[in-house]
């Protein structure tokens, strides 16, 4: 089991998705795309931002959030606990004050709308990046990089081959 995973919930922008997949490839982080996405979920759609790094990332594709949850349940049944940690502007816990564990799945929402209430409620933990009051949000790829970096720091870094 990889030390960490990044799940993209119904991504809207292929360039952001490609950037996050490239980060996962470089840091040895598993990736998952939870559909439906706002663009065709093909390697060609990611090539511009992901470049030739896409062959280095373990990418799981789930048709829906229900399918993703069924996969998580199967992982748990097989003895591989996979906590779901949601990055959200609606969360109250700062990402730096949270404790991350090997096997955690960090999930980012849609660029245009985040995640619906039922997905928010399904998370084991929701974290936020504290920002100035007049700021609404960071780019989703920037947010993912910040929290992935902190999680990897806490669990002992990334495992590269």
């Amino acid at each position: 089991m990889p030390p960490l995973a990044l799940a993209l919930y119904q991504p809207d922008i292929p360039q952001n998705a490609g950037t996050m997949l490239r980060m996962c490839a470089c840091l040895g982080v598993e990736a998952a795309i939870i559909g439906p996405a706002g663009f065709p979920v093909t390697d060609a759609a990611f090539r511009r931002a992901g470049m030739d790094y896409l062959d280095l990332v373990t990418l799981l594709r789930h048709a829906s959030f229900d399918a993703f949850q069924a996969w998580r349940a199967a992982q748990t049944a097989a003895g591989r606990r996979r906590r779901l940690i949601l990055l959200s502007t609606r969360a109250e816990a700062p990402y730096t004050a949270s404790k991350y564990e090997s096997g955690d799945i960090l999930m980012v929402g849609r660029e245009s709308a985040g995640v619906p209430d039922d997905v928010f409620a399904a998370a084991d933990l929701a974290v936020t990046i504290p920002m100035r009051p007049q700021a609404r949000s960071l780019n989703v790829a920037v947010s993912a990089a910040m929290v992935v970096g902190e999680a990897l720091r806490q669990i002992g870094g990334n495992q590269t081959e």
Side-chain angles (χ1 to χ4, degrees), residues 90-161:
R90 294 191 286 162
E92 295 183 11
Y95 79 103
T96 53
S98 299
K99 181 167 177 14
Y100 303 93
E101 301 171 2
S102 184
D104 281 351
I105 301 169
L106 306 177
M107 185 169 71
V108 296
R110 296 176 65 198
E111 292 91 341
S112 62
V115 299
D117 292 340
D118 63 320
V119 173
F120 189 96
D124 297 301
L125 175 65
V127 299
T128 191
I129 298 171
M131 292 182 287
R132 300 170 75 182
Q134 62 269 36
R136 287 189 322 270
S137 66
L138 292 166
N139 174 278
V140 68
V142 170
S143 298
M146 290 174 67
V147 181
V148 164
E150 174 61 16
L152 287 173
R153 183 192 69 78
Q154 285 188 25
I155 64 175
N158 57 334
Q159 295 181 3
T160 57
E161 297 176 26

Side-chain angles (χ1 to χ4, degrees), residues 8-15 17 33-42 45-46 110-112:
L8 287 61
Y9 177 84
Q10 299 182 354
D12 292 323
I13 302 171
Q15 294 85 352
I33 296 181
I34 301 166
F39 54 88
V41 183
T42 62
F46 301 130
R110 296 176 65 198
E111 292 91 341
S112 62

Side-chain angles (χ1 to χ4, degrees), residues 78-99:
R80 297 182 293 269
R81 182 172 178 239
R82 305 299 301 263
R83 287 192 319 162
L84 180 59
I85 300 175
L86 176 65
L87 286 63
S88 175
T89 57
R90 294 191 286 162
E92 295 183 11
Y95 79 103
T96 53
S98 299
K99 181 167 177 14

